[in-house]
Amino acid sequence: MAVDEKESLAPAKPSLWRDPNARAIVFQVIVLAAVTLFIVFIIKNTLHNMESRGISTGFDFLGNESGFGILQSLIEYNESSTYGRTFFVGLLNTLLVSALGIFFATILGFAIGIARLSRNWLVAKLAMVYIEIFRNIPLLLQIFFWYFAVLRALPGPRQSLNVGDAVFLNNRGLYLPRPVFEDGFGLVLWVLGVAIIATMVMTRWAKRRREASGKVFHTFYASLALLIGLPLLAFLISGAPMSWDVAALKGFNFRGGLGVIPELAALLFALSIYTAAFIAEIVRAGIQGVTHGQTEAARALGLRPTPILHLIIIPQAMRIIIPPLTSQYLNLIKNSSLATAIGYPDLVAVFAGTTLNQTGQAVEVIAMTMAVYLSLSLLTSMFMNWFNARMALVER
Amino acid sequence: MAEQISGQHQPHPDLSPPVTTVGVLGWLRQNLFSSPVNSLFTLAMIYLLYISIPPIIKWAFIDADWAGSTREACDSGGACWVFVKVRFSQFMYGFYPEDQTWRVNMAFLLLIVLSIPLFIKSFPKKAWLGAFILCIYPIIAFYLFYGDAFGLERIETTQWGGLMLTLILAGVGIVAALPIGIVLALGRRSNMPIVKSICIGFIEFWRGVPLITVLFMSSVMLPLFLPEGVTIDKLLRALIGIVLFQSAYMAEVVRGGLQAIPKGQYEAADALGLSYWKSMTLIILPQALKLVIPGIVNTFIALFKDTTLVLIIGLFDLLGMIQAAFADPKWLGYAIEGYVFAALVFWIFCYSMSHYSQRLERKLHTGHKRN
């Protein structure tokens, strides 16, 4: 009797069929087997199909001559370059437009996000109109608009719009003066390096002194003077060793200067304007996310509006802003692939487009393209996570 | 004298507030001219509006041409809406035969009629209606669009286009991605390591690549994946790509909802002795999905805008039709009108949906909120 009671109190050992652990193992084995079978099925089909269509496999094609030119390339490239080089040209063009896009979108986005919270009714409303218009229109449509309706419709080189005979805008692109560095410009760079180090030392000293004595030293204007004033001085002393190469009309087109092809300009306009609308909303939410009590407490401590902004609001708002900002940057990088629609030679256009059409090696080409975007995404989010960890306030 | 004797002290009547702090003047002073810098901003903005708005209005309305049916009707120098008017049916239906467009209209009208009750608060059995729209309606719509049954003429998918195709792509994308997304989200939160890592890998892969490479993949690689002899429709290939891509985003939205459900709900379901699937379908998912409706609407908006990308792989959605219309030699040079029209259509859809989702967010922001 006693033994029976003990047995009934002990947790019943479930049958193997009802044991959650056993079930989990069986279930996972089935899932794994199904996924593996599916992948094997696809690989087998693909290999068979490629063989029957006479498509070669492997990455040997990267060494073959490409035979097509590219509109804009940051490294030397011509028609006799290899497909491998085409890949790098495309990759660099993608990186170029992404980096520039992130730069402009951040500036514009922060400006509009802050304007959205302005106490000036008109400024706030206009910022809202901007946001509502640009984030609700597809990016591709905006790219087409800037490219086909605006930049392509500009007058030709002979009637180009010009600003002070230095900047020219026509349907072939935007021409800016290009700085030409002459001998002796190295000195300016050296001085700039010294100024950067001096600023860092000064900031440290100011911080240490403030913590020790409570005396505040305003580093902002001093750093500005160091960073701009010193190199400027060196520049003037060494006899201004820099000139501008201004584009000039020769024949039917402009020569010299820094030419920006209309494809790049249109893509950059559209990407920056579109992403800025999203960044503005993130910035607004971030600033509004810092509770009003924080501002009141800072005022109660006797801080003035500028230190309140710098010491209380911005550090806390940044903690809210950075994670969604990261995903906007990632979106921008991925969206830069829309370049292919207007013929800007980015990775997708020259590699997943032209190279794929010429070689027919869809699997390798698409896999390489996707791998690039995956690693770009991963790298950006790693960098932003690191930055986020640095910005995050250490809580006790 | 008499007043003083009576001892009544009459308070002096309040002075009215200074004119500069009340009424229109006060509002202007407070909101537009509160400081010199602000005044400067206001004036700059007014100047900006002054130089931009009147020319736009002049172009779009005052100088615009509305009547007529040929290019010759557009001679006043303003916008040429005749172009949009002439092409309107193509922008809406693509190359769908003109005498059959009633089928498309029927399908969308049916959807609107079916969805109206969903917005009425007191309508009974909303869940059933929702299930009908998600499960049965797509079948009806398919036969209306494609035909080849019930005495309807067959219309190949290559003839589909315009706004209709945009709506089909976005609609199918979201409806098919939802169940896959739910399964992936549950898998990602599962305790089983293999299931969890497969789901994470799948989600992160699709979220890490641009939609355009996915579309390229589905249009050039998908035919290679299939056994020999099996061909697959171009539209279907694009849809497969979109659904795979979208399901990863959907999974993350649903995961957000699953995480917002307090742990007590999971524990209570376990304590009741419910099995995993029962606790999910009866306790967790109904609450989680309610929470993520605004998120789903936002994903839908993103997808709706992204469907324009299909024009790169040769499908003619609304933007694709407009882009194709520019190539018509009879109507060269009306790009701005076309883009403005497309922008307006997309904007109306996206803005109203985002407004709806914001309202919903406020309405649903009730339970599960700390403090």
Side-chain angles (χ1 to χ4, degrees), chain A residues 28 42 45-46 48-49 120-121 126 132 135-136 140-141 144 148 274 334 337-338 348 366 370 373 377, chain B residues 31 38 42 45 192-194 207-208 210 212 216 224-226 228 249 305 308 319 323 339 343 347 351:
Chain A
Q28 292 189 74
I42 283 179
N45 282 336
T46 310
H48 178 80
N49 282 330
N120 187 321
W121 181 85
L126 281 179
E132 291 299 350
R135 69 172 185 173
N136 284 321
L140 190 60
L141 178 53
F144 278 164
F148 290 112
Y274 181 76
K334 284 187 276 173
S337 60
L338 295 185
V348 173
I366 298 279
M370 283 186 160
Y373 282 102
S377 298
Chain B
N31 291 300
N38 250 340
T42 306
M45 291 299 147
M192 295 183 257
I194 295 177
R207 270 162 44 95
I212 185 135
F216 267 128
L224 291 177
F225 288 163
L226 296 167
E228 213 175 1
Y249 283 87
K305 287 186 290 178
T308 50
L319 187 56
Q323 200 65 9
Y339 289 135
W347 190 83
Y351 182 74

Side-chain angles (χ1 to χ4, degrees), chain A residues 211-238:
Chain A
E211 279 167 2
S213 65
K215 282 181 193 156
V216 179
F217 179 78
H218 290 286
T219 51
F220 182 72
Y221 291 107
S223 345
L224 216 62
L226 275 176
L227 287 177
I228 295 175
L230 274 186
L232 196 69
L233 206 66
F235 181 71
L236 293 177
I237 286 173
S238 58

Side-chain angles (χ1 to χ4, degrees), chain A residues 153-166:
Chain A
L154 285 172
R158 280 172 188 283
Q159 290 83 36
S160 48
L161 311 169
N162 89 59
V163 184
D165 271 333

